[in-house]
Amino acid sequence: MNSFVAVFKRELKSYFTTPIAYVFLVVFLFFSGYLTFKDGFFEMRQADMGVFFMNIPLLFVFLVPATSMRLWAEERRIGSIELLLTLPITVTQAVLGKFFSAWLFLVIALALTFPMVITVCFLGDPDVSLIITGYLGSVLLAGGFLSIGCFFSIVSKNQVISFVLSVVTCAVLVFAGMPTTLNYLSAFLPAGLVSAIGNFSFQVHFESIQKGMLEFKDISYFILMIVGWIVAGTYILDERKAY
C-alpha cells in the first residue's frame, strides 16, 4: 500500500512541476467553455448543462490520451523504468499508482468547470441531480479513456504513437454508438449485431448516465472497461519485466 501511495504522490506531483498540467487545464477549460457557448447555451433558454456534457466525449477523445501518453513512454525516454521496476514494488502497484494519479488530475480539471455550474444556477433553477450524474458520467468516461491511454503507453515506446493509437481507439468506441453510425450499420448488418455494437460504445452508456439514469449496466460497463484495459497493460508490463 505504501508503494502505491508513493507512486501516486510522485506522479501527481510531476504534473504540476511541469507546464504540461497547466497547458492541459487551460486548453480543456477554454474549449469546454467555447464549445458550450458556441452550441447555443444562451439561445436554448434552459438552465441545464446538457450542452456542456454533450461535448465532453469529443474533448476527452483528444485531451485524455494527451495526458496518458507520457505515463510509461516518458519513463522509457528518460530511462527510469528499469529503476522503477527494480524497486520493492509490484507492477500492479506501479500501474495503479500512475493510473489513479492521472485520473485524479482529470477529476481536478472537471472540478475547475464549477463556474459553469454557478452560471446555470444563477440563470435559473436547474435539476441538480442531472448535473451530478453528468459529472459522474464524465469522471467514469475519463477513467475509461485513461485506461486505454495507459495501455497504449505501456505497449508503445513512442509517445506520439501511443497518443494516436489511444485517440483512434477512444474515437471508435465513441462514434460506434452515435445514431448516424448505428443507422448506417443497420442497412447491412443484423439488428442484434447493431445493438451489440451500440452497447459496446462509451457514448451510449455516457448519455444514459447523463440523463440521470444510474443503471447497473452502465456503471458496470465503465468499471469492466477500466479494469480490463488496466489488467491487460499490467500483464504486458509484467511480462516485459521478466525479460
Side-chain angles (χ1 to χ4, degrees), residues 184-203:
Y184 173 75
L185 294 176
S186 63
F188 54 88
L189 291 179
L193 182 55
V194 173
S195 177
I197 292 173
N199 289 329
F200 199 66
S201 167
F202 278 116
Q203 184 68 23

Side-chain angles (χ1 to χ4, degrees), residues 29-41:
L29 294 176
F30 172 78
F31 279 105
S32 61
Y34 171 75
L35 292 174
T36 299
F37 292 111
K38 175 179 172 292
D39 290 339
F41 175 75

Side-chain angles (χ1 to χ4, degrees), residues 8 14 23-24 43 73 79 93 117 119 127 152 157 161 189 204 207 211 217 226 235:
F8 176 84
S14 71
V23 171
F24 174 89
E43 288 79 357
Q93 289 173 326
V117 180
T119 303
D127 187 338
F152 284 114
K157 296 180 180 179
I161 295 175
L189 291 179
V204 171
E207 285 183 351
K211 292 174 182 174
K217 64 181 179 66
I226 292 171
Y235 176 78

Side-chain angles (χ1 to χ4, degrees), residues 24-43 49 51-56 59 63 109-110 112-117 119 135:
F24 174 89
L25 291 175
V26 170
V27 171
F28 173 70
L29 294 176
F30 172 78
F31 279 105
S32 61
Y34 171 75
L35 292 174
T36 299
F37 292 111
K38 175 179 172 292
D39 290 339
F41 175 75
F42 288 114
E43 288 79 357
M49 296 182 61
V51 178
F52 169 78
F53 291 120
M54 180 182 70
N55 292 314
I56 288 294
L59 281 173
L63 294 179
L110 280 169
L112 290 177
T113 61
F114 71 91
M116 192 74 68
V117 180
T119 303
Y135 272 106

